[in-house]
Amino acid sequence: MSGAGGITGAQRDIAAGDIPVDTPRLPAREAAESELSKPMYHENDPNFLQRALNQFWDWVAGVFDAAAGAAPGGPAGLAVLVVIVIGLAAALWWRLGTPRRSARSTDALFDSTGPSSAAQHRAAAEAHAAALRWTEAVQERMRAIVRSLEERALLDPRPGRTADEAAAEAGRTLPEHTARLRAAARSFDDVTYGGRTADQSAYLSLRTLDLELDEAKPLLPGTSRGATG
């Protein structure tokens, strides 16, 4: 009777319209995805930039976690290594300055405003020094030095000559001043290309060199250094 009663109950449910719903798996998933794709469910989602930043910082965190695991002493050791690297980078920047231009223009040493005499460059340097513009004063004094050597025929006038080249060439005829010429050229490069700022002592050093070179006797070809006194 129980079997018959079970059949009778099922028939009764079918007759009442209570048929269990058995939705196939694939259509159900598509329906759920369609429902969840509605804008109302994504109003507070992060935008593309925020997602990209989150992924980037997750990557950075993963890198640091891996480095901390490999570094001696764990996170503390990694922090020490980071401080050391930053200190070395700062020391190199202070020693070398910002990267200099790899290619110099034809006006590497002199302006493109036309040739000026050594006296004009000296006057400009003194005007800048009086106004405490030491960087511009150093630049003009170096130009005065090179122009003076050209006017004395100790250097051939050559467009595009750099301060370093001028110092090296002048050192051949004025060997006693080679080191100071190179130092002057380095000061010019530091303030012109290296982003440094000159001070009064740098300018006075170039000014003294300029005055001494104006009185210096060149070493002529075929003349020994001892015979120049």
Side-chain angles (χ1 to χ4, degrees):
M1 292 187 59
S2 61
I7 296 173
T8 304
Q11 292 174 345
R12 188 185 306 114
D13 290 339
I14 294 173
D18 284 337
I19 301 176
V21 178
D22 186 10
T23 305
R25 182 177 301 176
L26 182 58
R29 186 178 64 183
E30 292 177 349
E33 291 176 351
S34 176
E35 177 66 21
L36 293 176
S37 66
K38 294 180 180 180
M40 61 181 293
Y41 296 105
H42 303 278
E43 293 177 352
N44 298 320
D45 288 356
N47 57 33
F48 175 77
L49 179 59
Q50 291 173 330
R51 292 196 301 272
L53 286 175
N54 290 337
Q55 292 177 356
F56 171 75
W57 288 120
D58 289 343
W59 175 79
V60 171
V63 170
F64 273 92
D65 289 343
L78 176 62
V80 172
L81 291 176
V82 170
V83 171
I84 292 174
V85 170
I86 293 175
L88 290 174
L92 286 174
W93 182 88
W94 178 257
R95 177 65 182 85
L96 301 176
T98 54
R100 298 177 181 175
R101 298 177 184 175
S102 58
R104 304 293 177 84
S105 65
T106 56
D107 299 314
L109 182 59
F110 294 103
D111 296 333
S112 58
T113 56
S116 300
S117 66
Q120 289 173 319
H121 285 297
R122 289 185 181 118
E126 290 296 309
H128 287 305
L132 305 182
R133 295 189 294 265
W134 302 116
T135 295
E136 292 83 354
V138 164
Q139 291 172 326
E140 286 299 322
R141 204 75 200 196
M142 185 63 195
R143 291 171 180 137
I145 289 173
V146 176
R147 186 67 77 201
S148 177
L149 294 174
E150 291 178 348
E151 291 174 353
R152 294 172 60 190
L154 298 181
L155 285 177
D156 294 329
R158 178 162 58 83
R161 176 188 279 122
T162 66
D164 292 328
E165 292 170 345
E169 294 172 20
R172 300 188 187 105
T173 54
L174 298 166
E176 295 180 358
H177 297 84
T178 299
R180 295 175 64 193
L181 282 165
R182 289 177 178 171
R186 187 162 54 250
S187 295
F188 178 88
D189 287 345
D190 284 344
V191 300
T192 304
Y193 308 113
R196 301 288 180 84
T197 301
D199 54 18
Q200 182 179 14
S201 62
Y203 173 69
L204 293 178
S205 178
L206 265 72
R207 184 177 184 274
T208 300
L209 176 62
D210 185 20
L211 297 176
E212 291 181 4
L213 289 175
D214 202 39
E215 300 294 332
K217 295 181 180 180
L219 180 65
L220 300 177
T223 304
S224 63
R225 183 173 300 184
T228 59

